Amino acid sequence: MSDITTSQPARSSSPFSSFSVRDAGTLIGLILIVAVFAMLVPGFVSERNLINILQQSSINACIALGMTLVIISGGIDLSVGPTAAISAVLTASLLVAGYPVPVAIVAGLGIGMLCGLVNGILVAYVGLQPFIVTLGTLSTYRALALIYTGGNPVLGVPMTFRSLFNGNIGGIPNSVIIVAVIALVAWVILKKTPIGEYLLAVGGNEEASYVAGVPIALTKITAYVISGFLAALGAMILVGRLGAAEPILGNLWELDAIAAAAIGGASLMGGKGSVIGTILGAIILGAMRNGLTLMNVQAFYQLLATGLIILVAMMIDRVTRGRG
Amino acid sequence: MSDITTSQPARSSSPFSSFSVRDAGTLIGLILIVAVFAMLVPGFVSERNLINILQQSSINACIALGMTLVIISGGIDLSVGPTAAISAVLTASLLVAGYPVPVAIVAGLGIGMLCGLVNGILVAYVGLQPFIVTLGTLSTYRALALIYTGGNPVLGVPMTFRSLFNGNIGGIPNSVIIVAVIALVAWVILKKTPIGEYLLAVGGNEEASYVAGVPIALTKITAYVISGFLAALGAMILVGRLGAAEPILGNLWELDAIAAAAIGGASLMGGKGSVIGTILGAIILGAMRNGLTLMNVQAFYQLLATGLIILVAMMIDRVTRGRG
Amino acid sequence: ADLAPLNSDTEKDRIDWSQLEAKFGAFPKLPEGTKAGGVSKTLTNEYWRSLGQGYEKFGKKVGATVAYQAAQSEGDQLGQLTIAEGMVTTGYNVLLVSPQTDANLQPVMEQAKEAKIPVVNVNDAVIPQAEHYVGNVQKDNGVRVAKWFIQNHPEGGKVAIIEGQAGVFAAVQRTAGFKSTIGEDKKFQVVASVPGNWDRQQSYDAATNILQQHPDLVGFYCNNDGMALGVVEAVKSAGLLGKVAVFGTDGISDAYKSIAAGELTGTVDSFAEMTGEVAMETALRLVAGQKLPRVVATPQALITKDNISKYSGDGVDIRAVLMKDAASAQ
Amino acid sequence: MNARLRFDGITKTFPGVKALTNVSFEVAPGEIHALLGENGAGKSTLLRTLSGVAKPTSGEFYVDGVIAAFKRPEHARLAGIAMIHQELQQVPNLTVAQNMFLGHQIKSAGGMLVNRREQEKRAAEALAMIDPTIDPSVPIKTLKVAQRQIVEIARALLDKAKIIAMDEPTSSLTPAEFENLAKVIERLAGLGVSIIYVSHKMDEVFRICHRGTVMRDGNVVGTVDLKTTAEADVIAMMVGRELQHEEHNSFVKEDVRVDVRGLSSAVTHVRDVSFTVRRGEVLGIAGLVGSGRTELVRMLAGVDAIADGTIAIDGATLKLTDPRSAISAGIGLLPEERKREGIIPGRSVSVNMALPSLGKFSKSGIVRHGAIKSRANELLKRVNLRPFQIDRPIRLFSGGNQQKAIIARWLAAGSEILLFDEPTRGIDVGAKSEIYHLIENLAAEGKSIIVVSSELPEVIRLSDRVIVMRNGRIAAQLERQELSEQAIVAHAVGDAGLKTHSAKQEQAHV
Ligand SMILES: Nc1ncnc2c1ncn2[C@@H]1O[C@H](COP(=O)(O)OP(=O)(O)OP(=O)(O)O)[C@@H](O)[C@H]1O
Ligand SMILES: Nc1ncnc2c1ncn2[C@@H]1O[C@H](COP(=O)(O)OP(=O)(O)OP(=O)(O)O)[C@@H](O)[C@H]1O
Ligand SMILES: [Mg+2]
Ligand SMILES: [Mg+2]
């Protein structure tokens, strides 16, 4: 607080560097956590378990990437879980009804984008606060998923679909590959395309962006649509893994995704966030869960550890980096 | 979007007027909802039911008042539910162990304030983002409550304590009276005291506040401590009503409280919020829940209605008021 | 080759717990160092903790190591999956899982099958592909309470249901059992069936509202005991204690206390600890190589003030009591 | 002479930048001391250390010979130092009076409550010294920039300080308001208050200041007696070279590029404005604060909604829906309030420059950062950005340099019609003449330029033609040969001079 304007070195915030000082901090955090668990848990650093961690982190990473873009644009998307649920039950019921796999996937991703579009329109055109819009759609979308299925899971998803999202290539799970590709695309969007600049600009200073001719509404809507798309993609991965789609799927996904983005350096004030950081953040959370489970830590203490690690991760980051 | 800089007429945002145009909008929303239910549900507007609604809204109103102060200061407090749980189980177990009622109450309120203090210090001195701090303490505090009780509810709270919070004076439930008093105090704090002005200033423009010599850290910490205190008070009311304290009490309270504050006109960007609006927002949510139960609406449709009403309330507000 | 999707309430290939020893002999010898892993829904509810105690009790009895873990909160589907997957990879010999939902542990079923680890689905949500299920008949919970009303209120009347979380198997089945049974008696009328979301406070508020509209209500059926205890408080503060019957489900210790105190009318106890013992016995018999029916049904009983002394108190051997119940039912 | 305030070896380094190097000078009691230097010389940084907002890396302050350390802004205030910051430091939702007393409210009820009435009374008294029309009880966000700046000044007067540091207090004020301020400052100085005065308006500085300290690149170049030193010499000290006085050059071509008819605003009081701008023409817009100049250019830039009237460009009627549509029609706006409407603080200067024209820098949907950099290198050099680090976040630059980056933005966008709202606000004399040159060069290239300015010499120096606005309408249109400060003021105030330039003639002219 002593010097409110002192800030990080210029380099770290250069938009051109693909791996910033901030990201390095997150990476160090991850390495620390892995090192601690490696000492405590035999088998933690086995290839099999590391792949497990990646796979277990993949859905959160996918959701968190969309969340990161929304957060960068100055918004937040609390409705990712129910969006995933809607798209999961739609895809699954189309598959069960015998529609071809591509049709079901397109429909599922499409409805996810539609959910995002509604959020985006309410935020950008109607001008409501993102938190409250997506709090409202959180309930609304969940209710729609429940009503559509009567509350029942949709079972019997065919193997053709499942193997697409649940198979592996050379030992690497498809879900990990999919999310890696998505991360690359998100990185390109953020770093290399006009829309990425627009997201950063709108989140950084909306009014100045407007005066500079940035299409504010379009930019915000794009962020929410991408978030909806990635929520739907996360749902596909999950349906592939579970072989079933449930209307109550995706419970509390938003908190995990926000935590991953924040650990990775996104600022909830907007205008700041990193694709690499978010991925690392998701892996940190995944590694922690995995490690605590392998250590057979009791549920209450796992909860305690989750809370403390979020706090400690942010504090370490704060100390190593100075006020962000 | 057409005119980003047009602002509302000066009157409406004056912090001195005790009942602003914005509050009038919220009141109209409440009247609309009550009118609709009055037509649909016989007995909805009976004195008994209206008192019921007030009583059922009282805990959320209590929490939401604290949340409003935190939001005004530019923060957010996601940890209110677990804070309430900690303070509930502590108070209840002291009572069960035979400590005098005042001791148990002071201890419960004290630990609530301590939880708030920790949040406040992490936000103000360590400089972490409020969302992520309270996301971390959300898990941490919940875990502490669970570990302290081993997950069991604490039963057998003596009547002396219960009647304090669950009795009534002249037909008005004590909880309603308590929250009314709290609202009055909160209103005075916000409108008449230096700290209220500091809250508005810090949330409105932190840098300008710092430059003007506002004690930023102290102001933020005060907001979180008040929020922790009110979460604890909400817990007392609930323990009084249920006669038991559960470590899982207060689940999702934060969302209800944020919804009430937002419906009442608080801006999650900070610097804006209204005590009267928040109270009305809490009553809107309470009235809606009460009406839907009386109409015996099925669970899925209740969820749908909750989501839609939040959205519609915000849209009506947006239309009647112009960009806030 | 695939098994038909399991419906634990109707599956034909079943056996009552009391028959295990009779049909499959005394407990066989276990391989050295047998490790059994239990994955529960949550530990925030006494029911699931008691279940774990049952696991451990039986494991200790026969010399197996038992680990019992739970997700961080109810509804944490992926967290629970992570736990179960961890147990498969770290070499447990058998898993006892109580899934958050019907589907969320499906991948574990596949991984376990590959690793030749038997998986026993214990209670609540039912994995369609489960090869082994131990638990009570969820629907029967509601049926028992409905029957009580029909017997004790021959004149009929208004009843209300406080439901658990929307879309959860146990909540859906319990509610359906109650509704369909009480619906057979035309003198009863279900005036409200509203969500309590397993939450005491929400159930309290819902009950207050229902009572105010229907002060002549005969009784409540609640999908679990926590909610029922909230409803009892609402009934008390409406001054209707003794006039409005309140039933819960699960049989947690607080429910017993409340029944003994004359507040809660009754609960359908599904004997969590016993269920745990039976489940562990089933699981370990599988490890020992026995072939068992797909479903092992566990005991349950409607506990009211009239019979509470039979099921609780010092020196009550619950296993013996339930064995006798089972025999007399046969 | 006993110094009221002594800077002793103040040094301040930021990561990568040494903003102040061993700055030492003295200010006497009752002295009005100018702090002069180019943009980025370190003036604001020095005053920020003085006011406790930033900590110096090393060095000391002596107040009345006593060493003083200011860890926080309150400490400086308690030591009798008041500060007017270069950027407005205000809380939008609080009232004028609340903002003025923020951090040291007048309390009642034993310190429990804020005494609003007393605060408003005292605020009104302080405001009355410069502008009595400002109502202390309205939220400050409803005020215009100039009024808000006056509030900042009045706030500093409240404190009864012995040292008042003013960092460009008049950057958005009109000459008339400066006159009021000058009287106040001189009266305070007469009472023994020391004033440190930062301004790029050399006429103001020479009008009121006794001595001046000139800084360059964080170093003190020297302290001079302004009563005995020529302006040209001081400027030479500041910029390191002589600036010659230059005459207006005209590049007006025949063809009309912009034709505005009957324009009325949907959100402000601007009504029925008609004028034309030719190719290569610089059109000045003058008027008092609140006369609607900013609102007019905001409409032209598509920022504010238009209620009525037409805008034609090269004969084609334009449909403006938002700034984007204006930008694609070749219109670029340099906004009045840089911090709020101009910059994306966390982004680099080059990205801020390229923001409206990212399409031009992209190929098949991918932004070519290399192209942006090379263009930024060229254009930011042309506007003389300092320090010349195009990848640094723009928030780390001094105000004047931020302004230059926004000017470069429209050069990068290739805008043909440039709307400059107070283009040299906060810009140093050297850079100012660079910007004048730039505007002239742009005109010479055939661009059409509208310059809104509260500085009459600037309007006269730059404009081929001047529109004077009053109360949201055009009061007069003056050709180059008719331009004089008196004529403009007369029309702006509206008490005289209307016989030769009536509104009717305006219409006929267009
Ligand atoms: N927080 C900061 N971090 C890094 N560099 C900074 C920071 N603040 C200022 N600087 C640098 O310090 C130098 C001095 O800036 P300062 O704002 O004091 O200039 P100035 O003389 O007030 O200029 P102007 O006339 O444009 O206001 C500049 O090079 C600026 O970029
Ligand atoms: N919504 C509105 N309705 C009526 N008048 C308005 C509205 N918004 C702004 N105004 C008024 O429009 C006038 C013109 O604004 P402004 O002060 O920006 O003009 P200006 O001549 O550009 O002055 P400057 O740029 O020096 O501040 C002001 O008096 C302002 O109060
Ligand atoms: Mg400066
Ligand atoms: Mg202006």
Side-chain angles (χ1 to χ4, degrees):
Chain A
M1 205 60 260
S2 67
D3 186 351
I4 202 165
T5 58
T6 314
S7 45
Q8 66 213 92
R11 280 161 296 121
S12 72
S13 55
S14 156
F16 303 121
S17 64
S18 48
F19 194 78
S20 68
V21 171
R22 179 63 179 74
D23 291 340
T26 316
L27 186 61
I28 292 169
L30 176 58
I31 291 170
L32 268 178
I33 286 177
V34 170
V36 169
F37 279 121
M39 284 189 318
L40 295 174
V41 191
F44 182 82
V45 287
S46 69
E47 187 191 322
R48 165 99 188 265
N49 194 48
L50 293 181
I51 287 182
N52 249 348
I53 291 176
L54 288 185
Q55 178 166 24
Q56 285 159 1
S57 314
S58 62
I59 292 178
N60 185 23
C62 185
I63 310 293
L65 283 173
M67 188 68 78
T68 303
L69 298 185
V70 173
I71 287 177
I72 287 176
S73 82
I76 197 157
D77 186 355
L78 302 180
S79 73
V80 285
T83 298
I86 286 191
S87 113
V89 296
L90 179 69
T91 300
S93 46
L94 288 178
L95 288 168
V96 170
Y99 285 86
V101 171
V103 172
I105 293 180
V106 168
L109 296 177
I111 196 126
M113 291 166 77
L114 186 68
C115 289
L117 184 68
V118 171
N119 286 335
I121 287 175
L122 288 173
V123 169
Y125 283 115
V126 188
L128 306 184
Q129 298 182 36
F131 195 100
I132 202 77
V133 163
T134 56
L135 187 62
T137 56
L138 170 76
S139 298
T140 309
Y141 295 165
R142 178 69 74 205
L144 292 178
L146 285 164
I147 291 167
Y148 176 72
T149 59
N152 299 311
V154 183
L155 300 167
V157 174
M159 273 321 284
T160 43
F161 175 89
R162 295 193 57 190
S163 54
L164 213 57
F165 290 96
N166 203 29
N168 63 74
I169 299 178
I172 310 285
N174 287 2
S175 60
V176 174
I177 297 173
I178 292 173
V179 174
V181 171
I182 290 293
L184 191 71
V185 173
W187 183 85
V188 169
I189 288 180
L190 198 58
K191 295 280 184 179
K192 302 285 175 197
T193 68
I195 193 79
E197 283 304 338
Y198 290 163
L199 288 168
L200 288 157
V202 170
N205 184 347
E206 182 170 335
E207 189 165 353
S209 303
Y210 177 67
V211 173
V214 173
I216 309 275
L218 189 72
T219 303
K220 290 186 178 177
I221 288 175
T222 304
Y224 288 96
V225 169
I226 292 177
S227 176
F229 173 85
L230 291 180
L233 188 65
M236 305 282 139
I237 295 174
L238 187 60
V239 171
R241 286 188 80 189
L242 303 183
E246 290 176 295
I248 51 174
L249 156 170
N251 192 24
L252 299 186
W253 277 10
E254 69 281 7
L255 294 187
D256 277 351
I258 293 169
I263 290 175
S267 157
L268 286 145
M269 305 307 289
K272 251 181 66 188
S274 148
V275 167
I276 298 173
T278 295
I279 294 286
L280 293 174
I283 298 176
I284 285 181
L285 290 173
M288 202 187 65
R289 256 202 186 163
N290 176 289
L292 291 172
T293 303
L294 294 185
M295 284 175 67
N296 200 14
V297 172
Q298 195 248 339
F300 299 166
Y301 291 92
Q302 282 209 24
L303 193 62
L304 187 67
T306 312
L308 290 179
I309 286 201
I310 291 178
L311 293 176
V312 170
M314 298 307 290
M315 272 188 265
I316 290 177
D317 169 56
R318 179 68 188 73
V319 170
T320 55
R321 190 174 43 90
R323 170 172 291 258
Chain B
M1 204 60 260
S2 70
D3 184 359
I4 203 165
T5 58
T6 312
S7 49
Q8 63 211 97
R11 280 161 296 122
S12 72
S13 56
S14 157
F16 303 125
S17 62
S18 47
F19 194 80
S20 68
V21 172
R22 178 63 179 74
D23 291 340
T26 316
L27 186 62
I28 291 170
L30 176 59
I31 290 170
L32 267 178
I33 287 178
V34 169
V36 169
F37 277 121
M39 283 191 315
L40 296 173
V41 191
F44 183 81
V45 287
S46 68
E47 187 192 324
R48 165 101 186 263
N49 193 49
L50 293 181
I51 288 182
N52 250 344
I53 292 176
L54 289 185
Q55 177 165 24
Q56 286 162 7
S57 314
S58 63
I59 294 178
N60 184 25
C62 184
I63 309 293
L65 284 173
M67 187 68 78
T68 302
L69 297 185
V70 173
I71 288 177
I72 286 176
S73 82
I76 197 157
D77 187 355
L78 301 180
S79 73
V80 284
T83 299
I86 287 191
S87 114
V89 296
L90 179 68
T91 300
S93 46
L94 288 178
L95 288 168
V96 170
Y99 284 86
V101 171
V103 172
I105 292 179
V106 168
L109 297 177
I111 194 126
M113 290 166 79
L114 185 68
C115 289
L117 183 68
V118 171
N119 286 335
I121 287 175
L122 288 173
V123 169
Y125 284 114
V126 189
L128 306 183
Q129 298 180 38
F131 196 101
I132 202 77
V133 164
T134 55
L135 187 62
T137 55
L138 170 75
S139 297
T140 310
Y141 295 165
R142 177 69 74 205
L144 292 177
L146 286 165
I147 291 167
Y148 178 71
T149 59
N152 294 310
V154 182
L155 295 166
V157 174
M159 275 319 284
T160 43
F161 176 88
R162 293 190 60 188
S163 55
L164 212 56
F165 290 97
N166 204 31
N168 63 74
I169 299 177
I172 309 285
N174 287 1
S175 60
V176 174
I177 296 172
I178 292 172
V179 174
V181 171
I182 291 292
L184 191 70
V185 172
W187 185 85
V188 169
I189 288 180
L190 198 58
K191 294 282 183 179
K192 303 283 176 200
T193 67
I195 188 77
E197 216 161 79
Y198 289 164
L199 288 168
L200 287 159
V202 169
N205 185 345
E206 184 168 335
E207 186 177 345
S209 306
Y210 177 69
V211 165
V214 173
I216 309 272
L218 189 72
T219 303
K220 289 185 179 178
I221 289 174
T222 304
Y224 288 95
V225 169
I226 292 178
S227 176
F229 172 85
L230 291 180
L233 188 65
M236 305 282 140
I237 294 175
L238 186 60
V239 171
R241 198 174 294 168
L242 299 180
E246 291 178 298
I248 52 169
L249 154 171
N251 192 25
L252 300 186
W253 276 10
E254 69 281 8
L255 294 187
D256 275 351
I258 293 169
I263 290 175
S267 157
L268 286 146
M269 305 308 288
K272 249 180 68 186
S274 148
V275 167
I276 297 173
T278 296
I279 295 287
L280 292 174
I283 297 176
I284 284 182
L285 291 173
M288 200 187 65
R289 249 189 212 152
N290 174 288
L292 292 172
T293 306
L294 292 185
M295 283 176 68
N296 194 22
V297 172
Q298 196 245 333
F300 302 166
Y301 292 93
Q302 281 210 19
L303 195 60
L304 186 67
T306 313
L308 290 179
I309 287 196
I310 291 177
L311 293 176
V312 171
M314 297 307 289
M315 272 189 264
I316 291 177
D317 169 54
R318 178 69 188 73
V319 170
T320 54
R321 190 176 41 92
R323 173 172 288 260
Chain C
D2 271 1
L3 281 166
L6 178 64
N7 182 329
S8 58
D9 283 11
T10 58
E11 174 70 33
K12 291 277 178 301
D13 182 18
R14 67 192 300 136
I15 182 177
D16 192 66
W17 69 281
S18 56
Q19 302 295 305
L20 269 179
E21 205 145 18
K23 290 238 168 85
F24 297 94
F27 192 80
K29 193 171 156 32
L30 277 179
E32 262 312 296
T34 297
K35 281 198 314 185
V39 182
S40 157
K41 263 174 101 160
T42 168
L43 294 184
T44 59
N45 184 325
E46 183 187 318
Y47 181 89
W48 300 107
R49 290 197 298 273
S50 304
L51 187 79
Q53 281 156 15
Y55 288 171
E56 266 146 29
K57 193 164 160 194
F58 194 85
K60 209 173 201 174
K61 195 163 106 188
V62 300
T65 315
V66 174
Y68 188 56
Q69 288 200 31
Q72 290 178 9
S73 65
E74 189 151 348
D76 179 13
Q77 302 159 22
L78 290 177
Q80 195 188 32
L81 177 60
T82 302
I83 290 172
E85 284 179 335
M87 286 189 164
V88 174
T89 30
T90 43
Y92 283 81
N93 304 90
V94 62
L95 293 192
L96 299 94
V97 299
S98 308
Q100 300 280 6
T101 71
D102 293 357
N104 78 310
L105 295 186
Q106 180 62 33
V108 172
M109 303 301 287
E110 291 156 20
Q111 290 161 22
K113 196 163 188 174
E114 207 174 295
K116 301 219 166 24
I117 301 170
V119 178
V120 181
N121 182 167
V122 185
N123 232 341
D124 240 57
V126 180
I127 305 172
Q129 295 305 307
E131 290 176 20
H132 301 283
Y133 180 90
V134 176
N136 56 344
V137 180
Q138 294 295 349
K139 208 169 171 161
D140 195 41
N141 285 308
V143 172
R144 281 173 197 252
V145 176
K147 283 188 176 151
W148 183 93
F149 276 111
I150 291 168
Q151 263 176 24
N152 288 273
H153 287 273
E155 73 289 0
K158 293 176 176 176
V159 290
I161 307 170
I162 307 294
E163 304 167 13
Q165 194 162 358
V168 170
F169 178 82
V172 172
Q173 290 295 312
R174 290 170 189 176
T175 302
F178 182 82
K179 264 193 187 153
S180 61
T181 309
I182 205 128
E184 285 164 13
D185 188 330
K186 296 286 169 259
K187 293 195 290 294
F188 283 95
Q189 197 193 344
V190 179
V191 292
S193 182
V194 296
N197 288 331
W198 307 133
D199 186 274
R200 218 179 262 228
Q201 178 193 3
Q202 222 172 317
S203 311
Y204 177 99
D205 287 348
T208 305
N209 295 339
I210 292 167
L211 282 174
Q212 171 205 321
Q213 217 183 12
H214 307 285
D216 52 342
L217 199 79
V218 174
F220 283 98
Y221 171 54
C222 307
N223 283 171
N224 82 356
D225 283 339
M227 296 196 295
L229 291 171
V231 170
V232 164
E233 290 301 329
V235 170
K236 263 205 285 193
S237 76
L240 292 169
L241 193 65
K243 298 203 182 74
V244 179
V246 182
F247 284 90
T249 308
D250 283 351
I252 64 174
S253 56
D254 296 337
Y256 270 83
K257 278 183 216 148
S258 184
I259 293 170
E263 297 191 334
L264 187 65
T265 315
T267 179
V268 182
D269 194 345
S270 42
F271 304 101
E273 191 169 331
M274 268 300 294
T275 304
E277 290 179 42
V278 172
M280 186 55 76
E281 175 172 355
T282 307
L284 294 176
R285 280 177 185 267
L286 290 170
V287 174
Q290 291 192 343
K291 284 237 167 312
L292 300 178
R294 195 172 180 192
V295 172
V296 177
T298 52
Q300 54 188 333
L302 180 66
I303 310 295
T304 60
K305 209 170 167 56
D306 301 334
N307 64 2
I308 188 166
S309 56
K310 187 172 144 198
Y311 294 95
S312 71
D314 291 339
V316 172
D317 178 358
I318 202 75
R319 182 177 268 266
V321 173
L322 292 172
M323 215 36 135
K324 219 155 82 205
D325 279 5
S328 69
Q330 213 96 99
Chain D
M1 172 182 80
N2 225 343
R4 162 61 47 82
L5 172 67
R6 185 152 73 84
F7 295 88
D8 186 14
I10 305 291
T11 298
K12 173 77 182 172
T13 52
F14 293 109
V17 181
K18 195 160 187 191
L20 299 174
T21 313
N22 202 16
V23 171
S24 305
F25 65 92
E26 291 181 350
V27 182
E31 178 185 0
I32 305 172
H33 193 105
L35 191 55
L36 301 165
E38 292 180 278
N39 296 128
K43 305 178 295 293
S44 297
T45 306
L46 183 66
L47 296 188
R48 287 162 68 85
T49 59
L50 174 66
S51 65
V53 176
K55 272 201 272 296
T57 312
S58 65
E60 269 91 41
F61 305 100
Y62 292 86
V63 177
D64 290 327
V66 180
I67 191 162
F70 311 120
K71 288 212 180 64
R72 299 173 48 90
E74 303 92 284
H75 301 161
R77 178 170 36 229
L78 291 175
I81 299 169
M83 169 93 184
I84 299 167
H85 288 271
Q86 182 170 7
E87 302 290 348
L88 295 171
Q89 298 289 359
Q90 291 163 341
V91 182
N93 279 334
L94 294 186
T95 64
V96 170
Q98 278 178 312
N99 266 289
M100 288 171 67
F101 284 94
L102 190 61
H104 54 119
Q105 293 109 328
I106 301 177
K107 300 190 184 137
S108 58
M112 300 273 288
L113 301 181
V114 178
N115 187 342
R116 286 246 159 74
R117 196 171 305 156
E118 181 64 21
Q119 282 192 175
E120 280 171 24
K121 197 173 127 246
R122 299 226 341 237
E125 284 164 17
L127 286 164
M129 288 191 253
I130 309 165
D131 180 352
T133 67
I134 298 174
D135 176 356
S137 69
V138 302
I140 204 152
K141 69 177 173 194
T142 60
L143 301 189
K144 303 302 296 180
V145 188
Q147 296 173 305
R148 291 172 62 180
Q149 197 162 38
I150 289 168
V151 173
E152 289 283 277
I153 296 168
R155 172 199 264 182
L157 303 181
L158 282 176
D159 283 351
K160 310 257 179 293
K162 22 184 197 183
I163 300 163
I164 304 180
M166 302 184 172
D167 196 352
E168 305 195 32
T170 58
S171 58
S172 19
L173 298 195
T174 56
E177 285 157 338
F178 166 72
E179 286 307 324
N180 289 341
L181 177 63
K183 276 187 215 120
V184 174
I185 288 178
E186 275 158 2
R187 208 182 69 222
L188 289 171
L191 295 172
V193 177
S194 302
I195 313 275
I196 302 177
Y197 193 85
V198 177
S199 176
H200 293 295
K201 300 179 179 174
M202 299 310 283
D203 51 339
E204 291 180 1
V205 168
F206 276 88
R207 157 98 162 58
I208 60 169
C209 296
H210 305 139
R211 291 194 304 158
T213 294
V214 179
M215 294 180 66
R216 197 190 312 149
D217 294 334
N219 294 286
V220 171
V221 182
T223 298
V224 295
D225 187 341
L226 293 174
K227 300 293 168 214
T228 59
T229 317
E231 181 171 332
D233 296 338
V234 175
I235 290 172
M237 277 174 84
M238 281 169 60
V239 298
R241 68 193 147 95
E242 296 272 343
L243 286 183
Q244 58 259 53
H245 187 70
E246 279 153 298
E247 283 307 317
H248 173 81
N249 292 311
S250 191
F251 302 95
V252 187
K253 312 260 186 327
E254 262 315 291
D255 36 346
V256 171
R257 174 171 274 135
V258 186
D259 187 352
V260 175
R261 284 169 198 267
L263 204 61
S264 295
S265 169
V267 290
T268 66
H269 65 175
V270 176
R271 291 288 173 274
D272 196 25
V273 172
S274 304
F275 62 87
T276 60
V277 191
R278 290 166 199 279
R279 207 169 282 267
E281 183 175 32
V282 179
L283 175 72
I285 300 184
L288 301 181
V289 172
S291 57
R293 301 161 300 170
T294 295
E295 280 67 14
L296 175 59
V297 289
R298 280 171 68 90
M299 266 194 286
L300 296 179
V303 180
D304 282 353
I306 295 169
D308 205 8
T310 58
I311 302 168
I313 294 193
D314 291 330
T317 305
L318 201 59
K319 181 113 189 53
L320 286 184
T321 50
D322 55 12
R324 215 174 157 66
S325 54
I327 290 164
S328 55
I331 299 172
L333 169 69
L334 181 79
E336 180 179 33
E337 221 180 319
R338 173 175 60 226
K339 192 172 173 187
R340 198 162 64 91
E341 305 162 327
I343 62 167
I344 315 295
R347 306 298 286 151
S348 67
V349 193
S350 53
V351 165
N352 268 283
M353 181 204 78
L355 192 59
S357 39
L358 283 175
K360 286 172 69 175
F361 291 108
S362 304
K363 206 153 113 192
S364 40
I366 298 295
V367 178
R368 287 148 59 233
H369 282 288
I372 292 181
K373 277 197 184 185
S374 63
R375 192 90 172 107
N377 264 318
E378 172 196 337
L379 293 176
L380 293 172
K381 197 152 276 156
R382 186 168 168 193
V383 297
N384 196 12
L385 178 80
R386 270 187 291 170
F388 193 74
Q389 294 177 2
I390 61 172
D391 286 344
R392 261 178 119 205
I394 198 166
R395 72 189 154 92
L396 301 182
F397 283 82
S398 73
N401 280 295
Q402 293 177 359
Q403 186 85 326
K404 296 179 193 168
I406 306 299
I407 294 178
R409 168 185 285 177
W410 300 116
L411 304 184
S415 303
E416 285 295 311
I417 300 155
L418 297 164
L419 314 177
F420 288 165
D421 197 354
E422 310 287 359
T424 61
R425 168 168 302 167
I427 291 214
D428 69 54
V429 277
K432 199 183 254 179
S433 88
E434 285 162 20
I435 286 176
Y436 292 167
H437 275 287
L438 196 66
I439 289 175
E440 251 169 24
N441 289 343
L442 294 171
E445 286 168 19
K447 299 195 192 308
S448 304
I449 296 160
I450 296 177
V451 175
V452 174
S453 176
S454 300
E455 288 185 55
L456 293 182
E458 177 166 297
V459 175
I460 293 168
R461 157 79 176 79
L462 284 173
S463 310
D464 296 308
R465 206 149 45 89
V466 170
I467 287 174
V468 183
M469 292 194 68
R470 190 170 72 235
N471 268 335
R473 294 173 186 269
I474 293 186
Q477 204 165 138
L478 304 175
E479 295 300 329
R480 175 84 210 152
Q481 61 276 9
E482 304 171 286
L483 287 184
S484 71
E485 297 202 12
Q486 294 87 322
I488 293 174
V489 170
H491 288 290
V493 179
D495 56 349
L498 287 172
K499 42 189 185 315
T500 45
H501 301 281
S502 71
K504 274 204 186 76
Q505 276 174 307
E506 294 301 323
Q507 300 296 340
H509 179 87
V510 170

